[in-house]
């Protein structure tokens, strides 16, 4: 629990440094979310099956790529689906499945 509190404290400190003005916004925390996703690769299940590890790696990679595409298109899902070369419906399904905020 102490490690989690320290991690939260570091996250807030970084957001304060990154924010412009007096209010921390979601954009100030995006970098931290990206770091958490990247770090989660080291947390892939190594005691399950290869299929379990593969599914988790794909989930992480898709989440990162979709988040990046949405950021690049300023949240335009139609444009992001074109950029990712997937159908609009597939993109919406993955956004919901992975809990991605645009």
């Amino acid at each position: 629990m102490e490690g989690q509190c320290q991690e939260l404290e570091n996250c807030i400190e970084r957001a304060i440094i990154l924010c412009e003005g007096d209010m921390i916004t979601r954009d100030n925390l995006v970098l931290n979310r990206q770091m958490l996703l990247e770090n989660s690769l080291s947390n892939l299940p190594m005691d399950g099956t290869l299929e379990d590890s593969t599914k988790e790696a794909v989930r992480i990679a898709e989440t990162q790529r979709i988040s990046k595409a949405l950021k690049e298109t300023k949240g335009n899902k139609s444009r992001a689906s074109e950029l990712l070369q997937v159908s609009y419906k597939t993109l919406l399904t993955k956004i919901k499945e992975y809990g991605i905020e645009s």
Side-chain angles (χ1 to χ4, degrees), residues 5 9 18 40 45 47 63-64 71 78 84 93-94 101:
C5 290
E9 186 178 322
L18 293 172
S40 64
D47 55 355
T63 300
Q64 288 179 347
K71 187 174 183 179
S78 293
L84 296 169
T93 300
K94 290 185 180 290
E101 296 178 21

Side-chain angles (χ1 to χ4, degrees), residues 21 37 40 50-51 60 63 97:
L37 284 171
S40 64
L50 181 58
E51 183 179 359
I60 291 167
T63 300
E97 178 182 346

Side-chain angles (χ1 to χ4, degrees), residues 3-12 14 26 28-44 56-57 59-61 63-64 67:
Q4 290 175 337
C5 290
Q6 182 64 44
E7 190 173 333
L8 177 59
E9 186 178 322
N10 291 340
C11 178
I12 293 169
R14 282 189 299 267
R26 184 184 328 191
N28 302 127
L29 300 173
V30 170
L31 290 174
N32 299 321
R33 204 172 330 135
Q34 183 69 21
M35 287 170 37
L36 288 173
L37 284 171
E38 290 170 3
N39 289 337
S40 64
L41 283 174
S42 63
N43 295 325
L44 288 175
E56 182 64 10
R59 183 191 67 76
I60 291 167
T63 300
Q64 288 179 347
S67 295

Side-chain angles (χ1 to χ4, degrees), residues 75-93:
N76 184 320
K77 294 179 179 109
S78 293
R79 180 67 189 113
S81 69
E82 292 172 6
L83 185 66
L84 296 169
Q85 298 181 0
V86 297
S87 72
Y88 184 76
K89 183 178 179 183
T90 296
L91 179 63
L92 292 182
T93 300

